Amino acid sequence: MNGSPDTHRKLIGYLLWIFGFTGSHRFYYGKPVSGTIWFFTGGLFLIGWIVDLFLIPSMDRQADRRFIPGPISYSVAWILLPFLGLFGIHRFYQGKWGTGLLYLVTLGLFGLGILYDYWTLNSQVSERNYACAARRA
């Protein structure tokens, strides 16, 4: 370990990398712009996707330094978003019951909310973790 809390897991990064031509691993590590580029170009025509196999350890270290640790796991939230996000499960997990219910009845606000969450999920989890830390202090 490099002294930073382990907010993101390399194993999850590599699992998401399998679907990396969609940019999912880049979103997970807090790189929404390149994640979007990967999504629309098939991982930069699969070349960037292959290169990322070797970049995941450094992306993991950067994410560990950048995001706030706490009781809400980034990895769990990121596993829930792609597979159950349309039902708001990732929002329920964060304690966001209102928007979780809204996602549940609108299928993730008709899919657009899911796109928003791909861009902002790491920040959402950081804010919740920061709020939990502030309450404990």
Side-chain angles (χ1 to χ4, degrees), residues 47-61:
I47 295 168
W49 178 62
I50 293 167
V51 169
D52 279 354
L53 177 64
F54 304 100
L55 295 181
I56 284 177
S58 70
M59 286 192 278
D60 184 72
R61 284 189 300 275

Side-chain angles (χ1 to χ4, degrees), residues 66-126:
R66 183 173 169 201
F67 297 107
I68 298 170
I72 298 173
S73 167
Y74 294 87
S75 297
V76 171
W78 274 102
I79 291 296
L80 294 173
L81 175 60
F83 298 107
L84 299 169
L86 286 175
F87 307 110
I89 304 302
H90 64 293
R91 287 187 165 265
F92 289 123
Y93 172 69
Q94 293 179 71
K96 297 180 175 186
W97 294 95
T99 56
L101 287 170
L102 185 62
Y103 272 43
L104 182 63
V105 298
T106 62
L107 290 178
L109 292 179
F110 312 106
L112 296 177
I114 299 299
L115 293 175
Y116 171 79
D117 286 344
Y118 267 97
W119 271 72
T120 63
L121 187 61
N122 282 314
S123 298
Q124 292 176 42
V125 173
S126 278

Side-chain angles (χ1 to χ4, degrees), residues 8-77:
H8 290 68
R9 307 269 186 239
K10 281 191 257 335
L11 176 63
I12 301 298
Y14 281 115
L15 288 173
L16 292 171
W17 174 84
I18 293 169
F19 306 103
F21 55 90
T22 67
S24 56
H25 63 293
R26 288 196 159 259
F27 286 110
Y28 173 65
Y29 286 123
K31 299 179 175 298
V33 173
S34 61
T36 302
I37 293 168
W38 261 233
F39 179 81
F40 285 111
T41 64
L44 282 178
F45 310 104
L46 297 179
I47 295 168
W49 178 62
I50 293 167
V51 169
D52 279 354
L53 177 64
F54 304 100
L55 295 181
I56 284 177
S58 70
M59 286 192 278
D60 184 72
R61 284 189 300 275
Q62 289 171 2
D64 288 345
R65 286 191 300 269
R66 183 173 169 201
F67 297 107
I68 298 170
I72 298 173
S73 167
Y74 294 87
S75 297
V76 171

